Structures are given as C-alpha cells and as structure tokens.
Amino acid sequence: RPHIKDNQRSGKACDHWNLYETDIALMGSFHANAFRFSLAWDRIEPEEGVFSEEALQHYADEVDALLRAGITPMITLHHFAHPIWFEDMGGFEKEENKNWHLLIQMEVYC
C-alpha cells in the first residue's frame, strides 16, 4: 500500500498559490527570465474525472501574469502531490496505474 512517510503533510510553505502575483513582482525585481513551477494534480482533478475550473483558471492567470512580466513559464507536469483518490488506487506503486502519467501529460497538452 502506498504511503506518505510518517503521515507527513506539506503545509503552506511560502503560499505561492495565493501570493503568486507578489512572487512574480519579486522575480521581475531581480530580472528573472524564467520560472519553473508545477501543476498540482490534486488541485486540478480533486476527484477522478472531475476537473476544477477554478484551479485551471488559476494556472492560466499565473501563466498570463508571468508572460506579462516577461518571464517564461516552465511547467513541471507532475511533482509529488497526488490526489487522494489516486493514492487510494495504489498510486504509481501499482503497475496498472503507470499509464496515468501519460494521461496527465495528454490532458495538459490537449
């Protein structure tokens, strides 16, 4: 069964989700020309087959803000966070779930 070591949680960290506009302004102040960030699958598809328009719009707004600031967005399609429903299926530790990574990429590109 997949697990998170010692049931740890990631927490808010720097809260980029809510502070991205301030963060982008800071990036501009030190002349950054690119920003690598990840798309949170657990926010985009909180339930299997159910996509959050709010999360998708959030990422579209963030990309637009980066482009307006002259900063090239560099998106990581999968970075650690899995939806709970996917973990309940066994996550990537189960052989039959390995193709989800390809589905994620196809959904983002489409």
Side-chain angles (χ1 to χ4, degrees), residues 4-108:
I4 298 172
K5 185 179 184 307
D6 301 324
N7 295 314
Q8 297 171 347
R9 295 186 159 266
S10 63
K12 281 189 176 181
C14 63
D15 197 20
H16 178 74
W17 181 265
N18 292 306
L19 301 174
Y20 75 90
E21 292 171 319
T22 301
D23 292 347
I24 291 169
L26 288 170
M27 289 177 229
S29 74
F30 58 79
H31 310 289
N33 63 3
F35 176 58
R36 177 180 172 250
F37 64 104
S38 61
L39 302 181
W41 181 15
D42 56 332
R43 287 186 187 262
I44 292 172
E45 190 179 9
E47 297 175 46
E48 184 176 1
V50 177
F51 296 89
S52 168
E53 290 298 323
E54 179 182 347
L56 293 169
Q57 187 61 56
H58 174 90
Y59 286 122
D61 293 344
E62 184 171 354
V63 167
D64 288 345
L66 286 163
L67 294 172
R68 279 192 304 274
I71 300 170
T72 301
M74 301 179 72
I75 297 173
T76 300
L77 296 178
H78 180 261
H79 189 74
F80 298 117
H82 298 158
I84 296 298
W85 60 264
F86 185 69
E87 284 299 312
D88 289 344
M89 291 171 47
F92 285 120
E93 292 183 17
K94 290 185 86 174
E95 184 69 23
E96 59 267 25
N97 294 338
K98 69 180 182 181
N99 288 330
W100 275 95
H101 199 328
L102 298 173
L103 292 171
I104 296 164
Q105 291 178 26
M106 290 185 339
E107 288 172 359
V108 170

